[in-house]
């Protein structure tokens, strides 16, 4: 996360306070952004786009892969008033056991997943993703081990 935070300081700005506090409003906005980003951006691998297996960047005109989707969703939610500490990028394995990254929205109603593979937001423990790590909620520039959900006991 350090490289991501250096490149995109807004992604890890722990001093920024959100203007939306109501969980229902946040979840409604997150759902809207999840759907609009999923429909607007084409899935393209980093290998195809950059000639490397892994590049964390915002989507380009060609598109992006899962972490690119997570980054742009995070940027859009921050720009609309959600506090960065409520938006954590998580990595793990999807239902087919492929590496995958998503955005987690933390609310007092639970943690919800914004995933480029589906327009439907689900609670993290119903997403089918085997979470391995996520941005550390206490520092946001580091990662914390999760090992929960999917194939891991909850």
């Amino acid at each position: 996360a350090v490289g991501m935070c250096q490149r995109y300081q807004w992604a890890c700005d722990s001093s920024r306070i959100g203007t939306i506090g109501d969980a229902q409003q946040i979840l409604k906005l997150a759902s809207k952004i999840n759907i609009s980003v999923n429909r607007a951006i084409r899935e393209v691998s980093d290998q195809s786009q950059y000639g490397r297996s892994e590049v964390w960047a915002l989507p380009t005109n060609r598109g992006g892969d899962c972490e690119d989707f997570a980054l742009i969703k995070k940027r859009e939610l921050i720009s609309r008033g959600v506090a960065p500490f409520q938006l954590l990028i998580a990595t793990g394995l999807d239902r087919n056991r492929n590496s995958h990254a998503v955005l987690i929205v933390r609310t007092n109603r639970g943690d919800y997943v914004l995933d480029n593979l589906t327009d439907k937001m689900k609670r993290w423990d119903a997403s089918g993703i085997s979470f391995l790590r996520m941005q550390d909620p206490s520092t946001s520039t580091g990662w914390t081990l999760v090992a929960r959900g999917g194939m891991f006991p909850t």
Side-chain angles (χ1 to χ4, degrees):
V2 173
M4 174 190 66
C5 294
Q6 289 172 341
R7 188 170 187 185
Y8 305 112
Q9 292 179 351
W10 50 263
C12 306
D13 185 358
S14 59
S15 67
R16 190 169 181 171
I17 298 171
T19 57
I20 303 173
D22 180 65
Q24 186 173 349
Q25 285 181 296
I26 292 170
L27 292 172
K28 184 176 178 181
L29 177 62
S31 178
K32 180 180 172 184
I33 287 175
N34 189 53
I35 292 168
S36 68
V37 168
N38 286 354
R39 293 180 183 176
I41 297 172
R42 189 171 69 96
E43 176 79 26
V44 62
S45 72
D46 286 337
Q47 190 65 47
S48 170
Q49 185 155 221
Y50 302 108
R52 297 190 313 225
S53 62
E54 198 61 58
V55 177
W56 283 57
L58 288 169
T60 67
N61 290 338
R62 291 185 63 206
D65 67 356
C66 56
E67 71 273 359
D68 304 344
F69 278 79
L71 272 169
I72 197 164
K73 290 173 187 180
K74 183 170 183 158
R75 186 187 73 181
E76 294 302 308
L77 285 163
I78 290 170
S79 74
R80 287 173 174 77
V82 180
F85 74 86
Q86 291 181 268
L87 304 168
L88 304 170
I89 296 176
T91 62
L93 303 173
D94 66 16
R95 291 179 187 268
N96 296 319
R97 306 231 173 162
N98 296 313
S99 294
H100 194 47
V102 295
L103 182 64
I104 304 291
V105 177
R106 299 194 116 180
T107 73
N108 60 7
R109 289 188 173 179
D111 295 352
Y112 287 82
V113 176
L114 280 71
D115 190 342
N116 66 303
L117 300 178
T118 180
D119 288 343
K120 185 175 181 177
M121 282 185 2
K122 296 180 182 176
R123 285 182 54 103
W124 75 271
D125 52 355
S127 69
I129 296 171
S130 300
F131 291 97
L132 300 173
R133 62 187 183 145
M134 74 175 194
Q135 278 183 283
D136 187 333
S138 63
T139 68
S140 73
T141 58
W143 291 96
T144 187
L145 179 65
V146 178
R148 305 263 317 210
M151 66 179 161
F152 301 111
T154 53

